[in-house]
Amino acid sequence: ETMPASSTLQLILLLLSAISQNLVVSAFSMSSNSRKEIYNIPGSGWKGKDWNWGYGNGTGHDCAMICRRRWGTKKDRQALINALSSPKPVAATESTIEDLDDMRDPPFEEVKLVLGLAWQNGRWNGSDGGVGGYGDVLATMADARMYETEDEEANSRLLVKDMMSRFHLICSDDAMDFMKDLEDACGKDTDLLRRKCAALVLSEIPSLKMGYEATNITSESVPRRD
């Protein structure tokens, strides 16, 4: 017994719809995964299955080696802090945090790696703030849950909150004043906020200590997202 033509058409349409939805989901998954990769190394990133943070093998180790070479000199580290404290101005009214990250350099996933390596080293010399300091933030990063959800805006706000709340453990009084002004200065641009916050934290780590220009966080120099 043959299936009526109308039923056959409905079945074909259902199959096409299912295929289309799967393609959309796959494309989104690939985009999300590639955005979290560092230095274009497949399987890298804090949620990467081969990341293996803290061990001598895995994509985390591979990325760390590149990162140390890339930011290995005092001049390079100063350039990094400058780039983070004065990122490219962007008209960000309708942009997502992912769009803003794509328009600025370096990618924030690389910045998280720099922070992770700095805090890891700080465990040995105390520059991570000691008990309750940035070692706890690193542990949360390595756990790859709280800062690695599908909501990058929320991830970043939480990371900034955790960095700010420990800043008094490592900073000078002047730097603390700069940190207190950050949220008002950056408005709704969370990508700008997380970059400037990272710059302040890195600038107060003794092995990276470079200083931070106060003019880099004034509200007049910050494009707002209203």
Side-chain angles (χ1 to χ4, degrees), residues 30-155:
M30 290 174 63
S31 174
S32 299
N33 291 338
S34 63
R35 188 183 295 278
K36 290 291 186 177
E37 288 178 354
I38 305 171
Y39 303 131
N40 296 318
I41 296 178
S44 63
W46 295 93
K47 264 187 107 168
K49 61 183 180 65
D50 301 318
W51 187 238
N52 211 23
W53 178 260
Y55 292 87
N57 63 301
T59 58
H61 176 69
D62 297 339
C63 288
M65 291 179 63
I66 297 172
C67 186
R68 290 188 180 102
R69 289 197 300 268
R70 177 165 159 84
W71 308 111
T73 69
K74 182 177 180 179
K75 181 179 178 181
D76 292 334
R77 292 191 291 274
Q78 182 65 69
L80 171 62
I81 289 174
N82 290 346
L84 292 173
S85 60
S86 298
K88 177 182 177 182
V90 176
T93 306
E94 300 298 333
S95 299
T96 66
I97 192 171
E98 291 86 358
D99 294 334
L100 296 172
D101 187 51
D102 287 342
M103 290 184 273
R104 289 165 173 159
D105 191 63
F108 197 73
E109 287 304 308
E110 181 179 2
V111 178
K112 285 162 62 179
L113 174 60
V114 174
L115 289 166
L117 290 171
W119 295 334
Q120 185 181 60
N121 184 63
R123 288 179 171 178
W124 299 103
N125 59 26
S127 62
D128 67 342
V131 177
Y134 288 102
D136 290 354
V137 185
L138 175 57
T140 303
M141 287 174 66
D143 186 55
R145 285 185 288 183
M146 291 180 66
Y147 306 144
E148 302 296 328
T149 73
E150 294 297 330
D151 188 342
E152 187 63 13
E153 184 85 18
N155 297 340

Side-chain angles (χ1 to χ4, degrees), residues 7-8 19 26 39 51 62 100 105 171-172 201 224:
S7 298
T8 303
I19 292 171
S26 298
Y39 303 131
W51 187 238
D62 297 339
L100 296 172
D105 191 63
C171 73
S172 64
V201 171
R224 291 185 175 274

